[in-house]
Amino acid sequence: KLSPEDTVALLNDYLTAMTEVVFSYHGTLDKYQGDAIMALYSAPLDDPHHAVNACSTALGMRMALVALHEKWNSIPQLPIKDELIQLDFRVGISTGPAVVGNVGSEKRFDYTAIGDIVNLGSRLESINRKYGTRVIVDKGTFTSVTENHNPFIFRKLDTVRVKGKEKETEIFEVVGFAENATAETKVMLDDFENGRILYTQRNFIEAKQYFEAALARVKSDGPSQIYRTRCIFYLRKPPGREWSSVVNLEEK
């Protein structure tokens, strides 16, 4: 709906704000892909706190987006303002070994990362759409953060097998900074975790009750809505003995 000139101005505004957050947490800008940003941590210089910095970047971007919304909302006659102040994004973070260096032709190349873990990060970004979340990390990131001082609140979402991979992976949501968590949020997350555990044990009746309790506190909680729907489905059509709680994700 925007003119090419307005689209470029919007993208420049957005990418500038988000890139500043990446740099503030010692990230390395790899590339822009349309309106997407790929960033590396602990490369080219070693960073022992790379996982914490990556997660902090994601949450810092969330705060930067709020500031952008306020800025755009204050501009008179801004085209499609009502839609722009609802503009949103998702983040996927994965931690592991990769080949990092100059990749390309003899005449033109980019400094980037290549490897399975890079592909996983891309998959995690898109998985947010399925769960109604904003920031998802893999088990490697979760472990790297929590083995030391953990400044975040994580929620285990699921165990999934992403498209093109045979091995399943546990995925976690970065809910926010621990210091900002409200008592209501903590209780909701406890209800969700109790329900998730019961779900993996095939106790769909009690699991559904916990997810409904979580939704009573936060009606818009995407993960609780998804699990409640799953429970209702399996109560109507109980799974066979071979059932596994691992979710196969076919979409990229």
Side-chain angles (χ1 to χ4, degrees):
K1 296 182 180 180
L2 293 173
S3 69
E5 293 82 4
D6 287 337
T7 300
V8 170
L10 172 69
L11 277 174
N12 287 345
D13 213 12
Y14 171 80
L15 293 174
T16 296
M18 298 304 157
T19 303
E20 287 178 356
V21 179
V22 171
F23 290 159
S24 71
Y25 288 104
H26 313 292
T28 298
L29 176 65
D30 183 306
K31 62 175 68 74
Y32 297 127
Q33 297 170 305
D35 61 351
I37 301 171
M38 178 176 174
L40 310 177
Y41 293 79
S42 202
L45 300 179
D46 181 59
D47 177 9
H49 308 296
H50 56 85
V52 170
N53 282 329
C55 293
S56 296
T57 298
L59 297 181
M61 284 177 160
R62 301 300 309 169
M63 292 184 282
L65 183 65
V66 173
L68 277 177
H69 286 167
E70 293 175 351
K71 174 183 175 181
W72 293 334
N73 195 38
S74 67
I75 300 176
Q77 307 303 317
L78 182 68
I80 62 169
K81 180 189 296 187
D82 291 342
E83 295 177 58
L84 290 182
I85 60 177
Q86 297 180 52
L87 184 143
D88 208 345
F89 65 86
R90 302 176 296 271
V91 179
I93 303 173
S94 56
T95 298
V99 175
V100 182
N102 294 327
V103 178
S105 69
E106 293 182 357
K107 294 184 178 180
R108 182 183 176 91
F109 52 79
D110 293 318
Y111 180 82
T112 189
I114 301 292
D116 198 50
I117 201 69
V118 181
N119 296 331
L120 176 59
S122 177
R123 298 286 191 274
L124 296 180
E125 183 273 328
S126 62
I127 289 175
N128 279 290
R129 287 180 292 184
K130 178 179 179 65
Y131 289 89
T133 52
R134 295 294 180 268
V135 184
I136 291 181
V137 305
D138 70 336
K139 180 65 178 293
T141 305
F142 172 81
T143 301
S144 184
V145 171
T146 56
E147 64 186 4
N148 296 303
H149 171 65
N150 175 21
F152 311 110
I153 288 184
F154 287 103
R155 161 169 41 179
K156 181 174 180 180
L157 289 175
D158 224 334
T159 300
V160 302
R161 189 176 293 109
V162 300
K163 185 177 178 63
K165 312 296 178 188
E166 293 184 1
K167 187 177 180 180
E168 65 268 13
T169 181
E170 296 177 23
I171 60 174
F172 301 80
E173 176 190 10
V174 185
V175 179
F177 288 107
E179 62 184 16
N180 297 332
T182 65
E184 187 80 353
T185 297
K186 292 179 180 178
V187 173
M188 184 276 288
L189 293 174
D190 285 342
D191 284 335
F192 176 85
E193 177 61 9
N194 289 330
R196 188 192 63 78
I197 292 173
L198 288 168
Y199 172 84
T200 63
Q201 298 170 348
R202 302 169 61 112
N203 188 343
F204 303 120
I205 294 178
E206 291 188 39
K208 176 174 171 288
Q209 294 172 350
Y210 273 110
F211 296 130
E212 289 176 341
L215 288 169
R217 297 181 183 280
V218 182
K219 294 181 180 179
S220 61
D221 186 55
S224 294
Q225 292 172 349
I226 285 177
Y227 270 97
R228 179 180 179 275
T229 300
R230 289 181 186 176
C231 289
I232 292 173
F233 175 81
Y234 286 127
L235 286 172
R236 293 175 179 173
K237 188 177 180 181
R241 293 182 179 180
E242 74 286 353
W243 180 81
S244 169
S245 61
V246 175
V247 178
N248 292 303
L249 299 175
E250 296 302 324
E251 68 273 11
K252 290 186 177 182

